[in-house]
Amino acid sequence: MDPIEQFRSERAATVDGYGRDGEFQALSDQWREASMAKRYVYNFDWLGRPIIQYPQDIVAMQELIWSTRPDLVIETGIAHGGSLILSASLLAMLDMCDAIEAGVSLDPSQSKRKVIGIDIDIRAHNRAAIESHPMASRIQMFQGSAIDPEIVAQVREASAGYKRVMVCLDSMHTHAHVLAELKAYAPLVTPGCYCVVFDTLVEDLPAGFFEDRPWDVGDNPKTAVHSYLQSHPEFEIDTSVHNKLMVTVAPDGFLKRL
């Protein structure tokens, strides 16, 4: 066997074992709960903008974007813009690698790839920071509820013509809202690409953990994912992603379109 293939095969077997390792999972869940209580995910930036994610999930996004090579990433939830900048920079790296492989020059301010961000409230200081960032030419933002039919229609229009589409859902985390987002945006995901539903971990934390939020155990992104999948066999949970990460905000949230 080719050495690289052997390495990947051994790694896949290791990751598969994590999924059956109850002790390792319990330790990971304990650390995740403690870290959420201490606001650990608020500690990181991506290219200068706060990104409210675990480093593991940031790495996962890099791996998924590299392996699926989307030309459009749609994200609900913007906050400080770190996730938009992450996606835009990863698409820029795809552009650069494509240019190197083709032996052509690249204008870094131009790209056929794009990130669309949607948020019900894009605060002025965040918008200004995103629009002045070097990755801004790759980003288009829409302000409004992600499930507002008018916003959905605008995003669908802006998405026309893209051949490989990835979706990331990270706004309001109630069951009803996430299910509505899945119905609106998951159909845009192209075969072989992913719809990533963040904060499915709410279902796995103690009831009342987010005491000042409308979501809770039984009413959260994970319950919405499992409800959506009941009638959408074109998607499946890629368990290898969360098994590999062990600490993630998105257990059962990495949905691959078949």
Side-chain angles (χ1 to χ4, degrees), residues 78 116-124 127 140-146 148 150-152 154-155:
I78 292 176
I116 291 177
I118 311 154
D119 201 296
I120 197 167
D121 180 19
I122 307 173
R123 297 182 180 179
R127 181 186 287 275
Q140 180 178 7
M141 292 181 285
F142 293 89
Q143 180 163 299
S145 170
D148 182 323
E150 185 173 336
I151 293 293
V152 174
Q154 291 175 15
V155 172

Side-chain angles (χ1 to χ4, degrees), residues 46-112:
W46 187 267
L47 299 185
R49 294 304 301 159
I51 181 169
I52 306 171
Q53 295 290 359
Y54 283 118
Q56 288 92 330
D57 288 323
I58 294 171
V59 172
M61 289 299 298
Q62 176 274 139
E63 290 191 358
L64 293 180
I65 286 178
W66 178 258
S67 65
T68 62
R69 306 183 73 82
D71 52 4
L72 175 65
V73 178
I74 300 171
E75 301 191 13
T76 65
I78 292 176
H80 300 276
S83 183
L84 290 183
I85 301 300
L86 170 66
S87 294
S89 67
L90 294 174
L91 296 186
M93 290 176 68
L94 290 181
D95 286 343
M96 182 177 70
C97 290
D98 286 348
I100 291 171
E101 290 176 352
V104 299
S105 298
L106 174 69
D107 181 348
S109 68
Q110 301 295 320
S111 176
K112 294 180 180 179

